[in-house]
PDB file of all heavy atoms in Angstrom:
ATOM      1  N   TYR B 280    -111.569-155.865 125.719  1.00  0.00           N
ATOM      2  CA  TYR B 280    -112.048-154.613 125.089  1.00  0.00           C
ATOM      3  C   TYR B 280    -112.434-154.886 123.657  1.00  0.00           C
ATOM      4  O   TYR B 280    -113.119-154.014 123.007  1.00  0.00           O
ATOM      5  CB  TYR B 280    -110.811-153.631 125.165  1.00  0.00           C
ATOM      6  CG  TYR B 280    -109.546-153.933 124.459  1.00  0.00           C
ATOM      7  CD1 TYR B 280    -109.462-153.929 123.087  1.00  0.00           C
ATOM      8  CD2 TYR B 280    -108.438-154.335 125.145  1.00  0.00           C
ATOM      9  CE1 TYR B 280    -108.251-154.247 122.508  1.00  0.00           C
ATOM     10  CE2 TYR B 280    -107.202-154.651 124.547  1.00  0.00           C
ATOM     11  CZ  TYR B 280    -107.213-154.618 123.172  1.00  0.00           C
ATOM     12  OH  TYR B 280    -105.973-155.030 122.634  1.00  0.00           O
ATOM     13  N   GLY B 281    -111.988-155.992 123.002  1.00  0.00           N
ATOM     14  CA  GLY B 281    -112.361-156.139 121.699  1.00  0.00           C
ATOM     15  C   GLY B 281    -113.813-156.939 121.534  1.00  0.00           C
ATOM     16  O   GLY B 281    -114.218-157.110 120.415  1.00  0.00           O
ATOM     17  N   TRP B 282    -114.455-157.223 122.667  1.00  0.00           N
ATOM     18  CA  TRP B 282    -115.617-157.948 122.596  1.00  0.00           C
ATOM     19  C   TRP B 282    -116.670-157.367 121.723  1.00  0.00           C
ATOM     20  O   TRP B 282    -117.233-157.876 120.882  1.00  0.00           O
ATOM     21  CB  TRP B 282    -116.144-158.157 124.044  1.00  0.00           C
ATOM     22  CG  TRP B 282    -117.485-158.775 124.171  1.00  0.00           C
ATOM     23  CD1 TRP B 282    -118.738-158.056 124.277  1.00  0.00           C
ATOM     24  CD2 TRP B 282    -117.849-160.116 124.119  1.00  0.00           C
ATOM     25  NE1 TRP B 282    -119.765-158.999 124.311  1.00  0.00           N
ATOM     26  CE2 TRP B 282    -119.138-160.251 124.110  1.00  0.00           C
ATOM     27  CE3 TRP B 282    -117.110-161.332 123.904  1.00  0.00           C
ATOM     28  CZ2 TRP B 282    -119.897-161.489 124.165  1.00  0.00           C
ATOM     29  CZ3 TRP B 282    -117.832-162.553 124.100  1.00  0.00           C
ATOM     30  CH2 TRP B 282    -119.199-162.558 124.057  1.00  0.00           C
ATOM     31  N   ASN B 283    -117.027-156.012 122.020  1.00  0.00           N
ATOM     32  CA  ASN B 283    -118.101-155.346 121.315  1.00  0.00           C
ATOM     33  C   ASN B 283    -117.980-155.425 119.778  1.00  0.00           C
ATOM     34  O   ASN B 283    -118.908-155.792 118.933  1.00  0.00           O
ATOM     35  CB  ASN B 283    -118.228-153.947 121.692  1.00  0.00           C
ATOM     36  CG  ASN B 283    -118.814-153.796 123.168  1.00  0.00           C
ATOM     37  OD1 ASN B 283    -119.063-154.794 123.789  1.00  0.00           O
ATOM     38  ND2 ASN B 283    -118.940-152.493 123.575  1.00  0.00           N
ATOM     39  N   VAL B 284    -116.668-154.906 119.400  1.00  0.00           N
ATOM     40  CA  VAL B 284    -116.579-154.973 117.949  1.00  0.00           C
ATOM     41  C   VAL B 284    -116.395-156.295 117.364  1.00  0.00           C
ATOM     42  O   VAL B 284    -116.997-156.572 116.271  1.00  0.00           O
ATOM     43  CB  VAL B 284    -115.176-154.110 117.708  1.00  0.00           C
ATOM     44  CG1 VAL B 284    -114.873-154.206 116.129  1.00  0.00           C
ATOM     45  CG2 VAL B 284    -115.266-152.759 118.218  1.00  0.00           C
ATOM     46  N   THR B 285    -115.772-157.204 118.065  1.00  0.00           N
ATOM     47  CA  THR B 285    -115.632-158.610 117.507  1.00  0.00           C
ATOM     48  C   THR B 285    -117.013-159.254 117.385  1.00  0.00           C
ATOM     49  O   THR B 285    -117.452-159.785 116.290  1.00  0.00           O
ATOM     50  CB  THR B 285    -114.822-159.427 118.469  1.00  0.00           C
ATOM     51  OG1 THR B 285    -113.550-158.845 118.806  1.00  0.00           O
ATOM     52  CG2 THR B 285    -114.590-160.800 117.912  1.00  0.00           C
ATOM     53  N   GLN B 286    -117.891-159.060 118.313  1.00  0.00           N
ATOM     54  CA  GLN B 286    -119.205-159.687 118.302  1.00  0.00           C
ATOM     55  C   GLN B 286    -120.081-158.968 117.289  1.00  0.00           C
ATOM     56  O   GLN B 286    -120.823-159.631 116.561  1.00  0.00           O
ATOM     57  CB  GLN B 286    -119.864-159.681 119.605  1.00  0.00           C
ATOM     58  CG  GLN B 286    -119.229-160.534 120.651  1.00  0.00           C
ATOM     59  CD  GLN B 286    -119.178-162.043 120.272  1.00  0.00           C
ATOM     60  OE1 GLN B 286    -120.093-162.491 119.629  1.00  0.00           O
ATOM     61  NE2 GLN B 286    -118.035-162.666 120.702  1.00  0.00           N
ATOM     62  N   SER B 287    -119.962-157.710 117.181  1.00  0.00           N
ATOM     63  CA  SER B 287    -120.666-156.940 116.184  1.00  0.00           C
ATOM     64  C   SER B 287    -120.330-157.308 114.769  1.00  0.00           C
ATOM     65  O   SER B 287    -121.141-157.565 113.906  1.00  0.00           O
ATOM     66  CB  SER B 287    -120.410-155.437 116.455  1.00  0.00           C
ATOM     67  OG  SER B 287    -120.778-154.661 115.324  1.00  0.00           O
ATOM     68  N   LYS B 288    -119.035-157.487 114.578  1.00  0.00           N
ATOM     69  CA  LYS B 288    -118.670-157.976 113.166  1.00  0.00           C
ATOM     70  C   LYS B 288    -119.033-159.476 112.933  1.00  0.00           C
ATOM     71  O   LYS B 288    -119.419-159.717 111.775  1.00  0.00           O
ATOM     72  CB  LYS B 288    -117.036-157.868 113.127  1.00  0.00           C
ATOM     73  CG  LYS B 288    -116.634-156.510 112.770  1.00  0.00           C
ATOM     74  CD  LYS B 288    -115.099-156.269 112.967  1.00  0.00           C
ATOM     75  CE  LYS B 288    -114.251-156.720 111.853  1.00  0.00           C
ATOM     76  NZ  LYS B 288    -112.860-156.375 112.069  1.00  0.00           N
ATOM     77  N   ILE B 289    -119.001-160.213 113.987  1.00  0.00           N
ATOM     78  CA  ILE B 289    -119.487-161.589 113.701  1.00  0.00           C
ATOM     79  C   ILE B 289    -120.940-161.625 113.360  1.00  0.00           C
ATOM     80  O   ILE B 289    -121.383-162.313 112.402  1.00  0.00           O
ATOM     81  CB  ILE B 289    -119.249-162.396 115.069  1.00  0.00           C
ATOM     82  CG1 ILE B 289    -117.721-162.778 115.290  1.00  0.00           C
ATOM     83  CG2 ILE B 289    -119.988-163.632 115.040  1.00  0.00           C
ATOM     84  CD1 ILE B 289    -117.388-163.431 116.580  1.00  0.00           C
ATOM     85  N   ALA B 290    -121.720-160.795 114.074  1.00  0.00           N
ATOM     86  CA  ALA B 290    -123.155-160.741 113.776  1.00  0.00           C
ATOM     87  C   ALA B 290    -123.388-160.312 112.328  1.00  0.00           C
ATOM     88  O   ALA B 290    -124.124-160.991 111.578  1.00  0.00           O
ATOM     89  CB  ALA B 290    -123.814-159.871 114.765  1.00  0.00           C
ATOM     90  N   ILE B 291    -122.723-159.176 112.045  1.00  0.00           N
ATOM     91  CA  ILE B 291    -122.978-158.611 110.605  1.00  0.00           C
ATOM     92  C   ILE B 291    -122.414-159.620 109.579  1.00  0.00           C
ATOM     93  O   ILE B 291    -122.989-159.935 108.634  1.00  0.00           O
ATOM     94  CB  ILE B 291    -122.314-157.283 110.512  1.00  0.00           C
ATOM     95  CG1 ILE B 291    -123.044-156.280 111.454  1.00  0.00           C
ATOM     96  CG2 ILE B 291    -122.314-156.771 109.030  1.00  0.00           C
ATOM     97  CD1 ILE B 291    -122.282-154.905 111.561  1.00  0.00           C
ATOM     98  N   GLY B 292    -121.184-160.100 109.893  1.00  0.00           N
ATOM     99  CA  GLY B 292    -120.437-160.980 108.994  1.00  0.00           C
ATOM    100  C   GLY B 292    -121.233-162.397 108.746  1.00  0.00           C
ATOM    101  O   GLY B 292    -121.091-162.893 107.604  1.00  0.00           O
ATOM    102  N   SER B 293    -121.941-162.760 109.719  1.00  0.00           N
ATOM    103  CA  SER B 293    -122.674-163.944 109.476  1.00  0.00           C
ATOM    104  C   SER B 293    -123.825-163.903 108.761  1.00  0.00           C
ATOM    105  O   SER B 293    -124.475-164.954 108.422  1.00  0.00           O
ATOM    106  CB  SER B 293    -122.854-164.729 110.985  1.00  0.00           C
ATOM    107  OG  SER B 293    -123.766-163.859 111.587  1.00  0.00           O
ATOM    108  N   GLY B 294    -124.182-162.729 108.306  1.00  0.00           N
ATOM    109  CA  GLY B 294    -125.398-162.562 107.572  1.00  0.00           C
ATOM    110  C   GLY B 294    -125.336-162.959 106.061  1.00  0.00           C
ATOM    111  O   GLY B 294    -126.320-163.252 105.488  1.00  0.00           O
ATOM    112  N   GLY B 295    -124.159-163.003 105.542  1.00  0.00           N
ATOM    113  CA  GLY B 295    -123.979-163.433 104.237  1.00  0.00           C
ATOM    114  C   GLY B 295    -124.509-162.479 103.262  1.00  0.00           C
ATOM    115  O   GLY B 295    -124.670-161.250 103.598  1.00  0.00           O
ATOM    116  N   PHE B 296    -124.891-162.908 102.076  1.00  0.00           N
ATOM    117  CA  PHE B 296    -125.452-161.953 101.080  1.00  0.00           C
ATOM    118  C   PHE B 296    -127.010-161.625 101.440  1.00  0.00           C
ATOM    119  O   PHE B 296    -127.211-160.405 101.335  1.00  0.00           O
ATOM    120  CB  PHE B 296    -125.340-162.584  99.656  1.00  0.00           C
ATOM    121  CG  PHE B 296    -125.774-161.613  98.490  1.00  0.00           C
ATOM    122  CD1 PHE B 296    -124.829-160.524  98.150  1.00  0.00           C
ATOM    123  CD2 PHE B 296    -127.082-161.590  98.145  1.00  0.00           C
ATOM    124  CE1 PHE B 296    -125.300-159.650  97.232  1.00  0.00           C
ATOM    125  CE2 PHE B 296    -127.513-160.663  97.169  1.00  0.00           C
ATOM    126  CZ  PHE B 296    -126.554-159.754  96.723  1.00  0.00           C
ATOM    127  N   SER B 297    -127.698-162.510 101.753  1.00  0.00           N
ATOM    128  CA  SER B 297    -129.136-162.155 101.823  1.00  0.00           C
ATOM    129  C   SER B 297    -129.580-162.267 103.282  1.00  0.00           C
ATOM    130  O   SER B 297    -130.822-162.093 103.561  1.00  0.00           O
ATOM    131  CB  SER B 297    -129.903-163.224 100.942  1.00  0.00           C
ATOM    132  OG  SER B 297    -129.671-164.494 101.359  1.00  0.00           O
TER     133      SER B 297
END
Side-chain angles (χ1 to χ4, degrees):
Chain B
Y280 63 73
W282 172 266
N283 287 2
V284 177
T285 307
Q286 293 302 328
S287 165
K288 279 165 84 176
I289 288 172
I291 294 170
S293 68
F296 185 80
S297 55

